[in-house]
Amino acid sequence: RDIPYAIFTLMSYEWLRENWVCSAKQQGSNNQHWRNMAAGAIAGGIGSFLTNPMDVVKTRLQTTTEVMKYTGVMDCARVTLANEGPSAFLKGVMPRLAHKIPANAFFFLSFELFRRLLNV
């Protein structure tokens, strides 16, 4: 789940950076730092939301106390869907978003700051 999360987050951030942050900079906007922070927050939210179903399955596989309750990842997903419906895959999404959105906002703000300081 970490690799898909990184893919969704980084792709979202780069798209937002190119289409929103950089375009504002070209138009002479002075709020580039806030835009970098907002783009990071949005990208973190997108990555977290899209990978939450994988997180639910992973957590269920790790925390089940019954021996051989699931035969694998796909079986866990099938059983979860059959027993609880699609909304089961969104369990825990709010705490995850509450953590990932601010964390990514500051990560990408810092990333862009050091990118400028190091001229990279």
Side-chain angles (χ1 to χ4, degrees):
R1 76 170 165 98
D2 286 336
I3 293 172
Y5 168 77
I7 290 169
F8 287 130
T9 301
L10 292 171
M11 285 178 59
S12 299
Y13 178 74
E14 285 300 320
W15 187 88
L16 288 165
R17 185 175 168 275
E18 289 297 316
N19 293 289
W20 187 51
V21 177
C22 290
S23 67
K25 181 181 176 185
Q26 291 171 351
Q27 295 172 1
S29 177
N30 291 334
N31 61 357
Q32 186 177 358
H33 297 299
W34 288 106
R35 285 179 181 254
N36 281 326
M37 197 160 91
I42 293 166
I46 291 169
S48 296
F49 186 80
L50 292 177
T51 58
N52 200 71
M54 289 179 251
D55 205 43
V56 168
V57 171
K58 178 220 33 135
T59 301
R60 287 175 184 228
L61 287 168
Q62 288 179 334
T63 60
T64 186
T65 56
E66 297 175 38
V67 177
M68 298 304 291
K69 180 175 183 176
Y70 307 112
T71 59
V73 173
M74 292 307 292
D75 182 55
C76 179
R78 258 191 308 277
V79 169
T80 301
L81 182 62
N83 292 344
E84 300 174 56
S87 64
F89 294 105
L90 294 178
K91 287 187 176 180
V93 74
M94 294 309 287
R96 190 164 186 234
L97 290 173
H99 162 72
K100 292 291 190 179
I101 287 174
N104 278 283
F106 288 106
F107 171 80
F108 283 107
L109 177 66
S110 301
F111 174 76
E112 292 298 337
L113 175 69
F114 282 104
R115 193 180 200 178
R116 277 192 284 285
L117 286 173
L118 299 172
N119 274 339
V120 210

